[in-house]
Amino acid sequence: MIIAIDGPAASGKGTLARRIAAHWVLPCLDTGLLYRAVARDVVAASFRPADPWAALAAARGLDLAGLSDPDLRTPAAGDLASIVARIPQVRAALLSYQRNFAAQPGGAVLDGRDIGTVVCPEADVKIYVTASAEVRADRRLRECLARGENVSFEHILADILRRDERDSSRDNAPMRPAHDADLLDTSDLDIEAAFDAAVGLIKRKIGQQGA
């Protein structure tokens, strides 16, 4: 069973993906970490994130053991990731790894922005998780404050809107719901309610396939 979880930044898709993977005892991949790690390595090599050749070299030489780096979870890393993610060569270099992960015996859960449309278009279940920009900015603000970072709501909201525009307008694999994805708006849901809703969607989809 392959479950694709897509959506914009701070929509809650990552938390949902991990909860869903634990519930069905499936491996889980946050594909955004791949792009964050590529961006990190490009900057560490003193190149610009938008440099296609430097980004491609970083993608091809990516050390997957480095995905546990806590710095990859910061908003700054996410912003840089959305820059390298626009580079078609980088997306192509990382595509086979993502598809191999999904092809594991028993299946997998993958979350990102193009899982249901490009990485796993034949996924058994596709959920597009969204929330209003203001709600997502508030969530990200609380995460940053918990880490002791001094940021403002206005700055985070502007960053989220900029990332939404960048991710949805890129020519290669733009962020958008798959035509057969179930939409899950978490604007008014806490994690437990969102998880319950997602489990209900998955069980319904599985039931339909088995009918």
Side-chain angles (χ1 to χ4, degrees):
M1 179 170 65
I2 299 175
I3 301 176
I5 310 291
D6 289 306
S11 60
K13 66 183 184 299
T15 302
L16 269 180
R18 291 189 294 273
R19 290 283 300 271
I20 290 167
H23 183 77
W24 269 282
V25 195
L26 293 170
C28 184
L29 176 64
D30 177 352
T31 63
L33 289 178
L34 301 176
Y35 294 96
R36 288 170 181 247
V38 169
R40 174 202 60 196
D41 294 348
V42 170
V43 172
S46 300
F47 290 98
R48 295 178 299 106
D51 185 320
W53 303 116
L56 177 58
R60 287 175 171 171
L62 186 62
D63 180 6
L64 299 179
L67 296 184
S68 60
D69 181 358
D71 289 341
L72 296 181
R73 298 287 183 180
T74 64
D79 192 50
L80 293 174
S82 69
I83 296 175
V84 301
R86 293 178 67 94
I87 302 172
Q89 299 94 322
V90 170
R91 304 199 71 86
L94 297 177
L95 183 59
S96 61
Y97 174 78
Q98 296 173 74
R99 286 181 171 168
N100 288 338
F101 187 93
Q104 295 181 74
V109 179
L110 293 86
D111 82 82
R113 286 167 172 71
D114 66 339
I115 308 303
T117 55
V118 175
V119 178
C120 300
E122 303 302 322
D124 300 283
V125 180
K126 302 177 186 179
I127 300 177
Y128 191 87
V129 185
T130 188
S132 71
E134 290 75 17
V135 167
R136 290 186 284 132
D138 182 67
R139 291 172 180 168
R140 185 55 52 81
L141 175 63
R142 285 185 273 123
E143 291 174 0
C144 292
L145 293 178
R147 291 194 296 263
E149 299 174 17
N150 184 21
V151 293
S152 69
F153 174 83
E154 290 74 18
H155 175 81
I156 292 177
L157 177 60
D159 177 64
I160 281 179
L161 292 173
R162 183 170 60 251
R163 287 188 61 190
D164 285 353
E165 170 61 23
R166 186 184 294 153
D167 292 340
S168 60
S169 65
R170 64 187 179 220
D171 293 331
N172 188 266
M175 178 182 70
R176 59 179 175 81
H179 70 90
D180 53 349
D182 286 302
L183 299 182
L184 178 56
D185 191 327
T186 66
S187 297
D188 299 318
L189 302 178
D190 61 19
I191 182 56
E192 294 300 329
F195 173 69
D196 288 343
V199 168
L201 290 173
I202 294 169
K203 286 183 176 180
R204 189 182 73 222
K205 183 69 64 144
I206 294 173
Q208 290 173 349
Q209 293 172 354

